[in-house]
């Protein structure tokens, strides 16, 4: 499918909903979820580590995995794909950006009003109070604890088996239900309920654009499938608008 044809449809969009997955951060050097974990983590499956059970069983191991990812993200920069979405938002009357990513790169690129469907890896959350929390002073070896109540802290992300935050779920559902164009970027569309958003949009007659380096579980339902790296396809779309 051609970028020009998709750009023609995008140009007449009134309300665009964009859903991004880890593929848009791949060109920033952050491994995708299904991509091989590197080094220390190559023998671990993210789907097993990103769970309340894993944290319950071995909080130290889970914290080591998240600290490794935090370092990777802190050293990463938004790429041309993130910046192109900022540009596209300037050229469409209304755009809602929903991301499955927890890396904060959209905000660092300048996107506003981002719905972080799965939370944000850089924030700590108190396991007792369930809200974002500061750390009490502790040395590196100890597990981080809440400065207010002393309970264990966890990363402020949604683990498998946990519910999406109600405001994020409602915001994303509304954006998908009310858009006339839905664009999915860099996701294998395997994780629900995020993967169900494109179906919500399609059932209400929205045009569906997919940007991915390969086919995904949602490709069959897409009107335009733009095969290529997000860092190349999105800038081409932005400049064709
Ligand atoms: C929940 C945060 C219920 C943590 C993540 C049906 C309905 C509802 C739930 C389920 C369901 N079926 C199964 C479930 C359970 C589960 C689920 O979906 N499991 C899957 C494995 C089948 N869902 C849940 O548990 C969700 N919760 O449903 O709760 C509930 C309700 C009430 C009360 C209690 C419970 C919560 C899921 C959230 C999990 N947390 N992240 C962390 O990051 O540590 S998900 C995590 O994996 C990521 O955030 C991301 O969302 C996901 C991976 O997906 P992708 O982003 O797509 O990444 P992937 O590697 O798979 O694909 C990358 C793609 O990019 C590829 O297609 C590739 O081709 C492409 N690509 C690569 N390079 C590029 C590129 N594209 C463009 N350019 C490139 N350069």
């Amino acid at each position: 499918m051609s970028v020009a044809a998709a750009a023609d449809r995008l140009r007449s969009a009134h309300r665009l909903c964009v859903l991004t997955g880890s593929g848009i951060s791949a060109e920033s050097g952050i491994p995708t979820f299904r991509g091989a974990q590197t080094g220390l983590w190559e023998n671990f499956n993210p789907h097993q580590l990103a769970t309340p059970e894993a944290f319950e069983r071995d909080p130290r191991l889970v914290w080591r995995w998240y600290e490794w990812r935090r370092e990777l993200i802190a050293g990463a920069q938004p790429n041309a794909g993130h910046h192109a979405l900022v540009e596209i938002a300037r050229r469409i009357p209304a755009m809602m950006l929903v991301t499955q990513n927890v890396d904060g790169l959209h905000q660092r690129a300048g996107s506003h009003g981002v719905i972080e469907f799965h939370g944000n890896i850089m924030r700590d959350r108190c396991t007792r109070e369930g809200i974002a929390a500061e750390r009490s002073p502790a040395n590196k070896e100890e597990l981080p604890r809440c400065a207010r109540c002393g309970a264990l802290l966890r990363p402020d992300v949604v683990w498998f088996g946990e519910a999406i935050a109600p405001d994020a779920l409602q915001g994303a559902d509304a954006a998908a239900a009310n858009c006339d164009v839905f664009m999915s970027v860099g996701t294998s569309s395997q994780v629900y309920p995020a993967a169900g958003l494109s179906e919500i949009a399609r059932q209400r007659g929205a045009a569906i654009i997919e940007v991915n380096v390969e086919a995904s579980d949602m490709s069959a339902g897409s009107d335009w499938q733009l095969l290529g790296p997000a860092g190349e396809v999105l800038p081409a779309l932005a400049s064709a608008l």
Side-chain angles (χ1 to χ4, degrees):
M1 293 286 179
S2 81
V3 166
D8 281 346
R9 181 62 189 86
L10 205 47
R11 195 173 298 111
S12 59
H14 299 286
R15 283 175 311 287
L16 168 64
C17 178
V18 180
L19 172 70
T20 61
S22 57
I24 196 169
S25 295
E27 290 156 90
S28 294
I30 297 172
T32 63
F33 241 71
R34 293 179 320 144
Q37 298 284 315
T38 54
L40 176 67
W41 302 104
E42 58 194 349
N43 303 322
F44 290 89
N45 175 344
H47 289 93
Q48 280 146 11
L49 278 175
T51 65
E53 295 75 19
F55 188 73
E56 183 74 30
R57 192 171 50 249
D58 190 345
R60 202 171 296 283
L61 172 70
V62 173
W63 261 119
R64 284 211 335 263
W65 184 53
Y66 278 93
E67 293 298 354
W68 173 72
R69 289 173 65 195
R70 281 180 172 181
E71 268 175 51
L72 209 58
I73 290 162
Q77 295 301 324
N79 63 59
H82 297 103
H83 292 298
L85 287 180
V86 178
E87 197 47 44
I88 289 170
R90 288 197 188 107
R91 300 167 184 233
I92 305 282
M95 175 175 135
M96 179 56 77
L97 176 52
V98 181
T99 186
Q100 300 175 84
N101 301 335
V102 295
D103 56 31
L105 289 183
H106 285 301
Q107 293 92 319
R108 284 173 53 194
S111 289
H112 300 291
V114 179
I115 294 182
E116 293 185 309
F117 206 63
H118 292 151
N120 186 304
I121 197 171
M122 293 314 202
R123 272 195 311 266
D124 291 340
R125 187 198 314 162
C126 174
T127 54
R128 180 178 298 147
E129 299 162 292
I131 53 175
E134 299 299 319
R135 297 185 171 201
S136 59
N139 57 40
K140 271 301 248 182
E141 288 65 54
E142 285 166 24
L143 287 170
R145 291 192 171 275
C146 176
R148 281 188 300 269
C149 73
L152 268 184
L153 292 178
R154 56 169 281 180
D156 193 15
V157 297
V158 180
W159 279 330
F160 288 99
E162 293 186 323
I164 308 298
D167 53 345
L169 188 62
Q170 281 146 27
D173 281 351
N178 299 318
C179 70
D180 52 330
V181 181
F182 184 95
M183 180 157 72
S184 167
V185 182
T187 178
S188 62
S189 296
Q190 291 175 0
V191 174
Y192 285 82
L197 292 171
S198 64
E199 193 49 31
I200 291 174
R202 207 167 67 83
Q203 280 168 6
R204 283 165 179 74
I208 309 294
I209 301 172
E210 181 185 21
V211 178
N212 200 315
V213 291
E214 61 185 12
S216 75
D217 286 7
M218 66 167 286
S219 301
S222 302
D223 300 297
W224 288 274
Q225 202 194 352
L226 306 180
L227 284 178
E232 290 171 22
V233 173
L234 292 178
L237 263 181
S239 52
L241 286 183

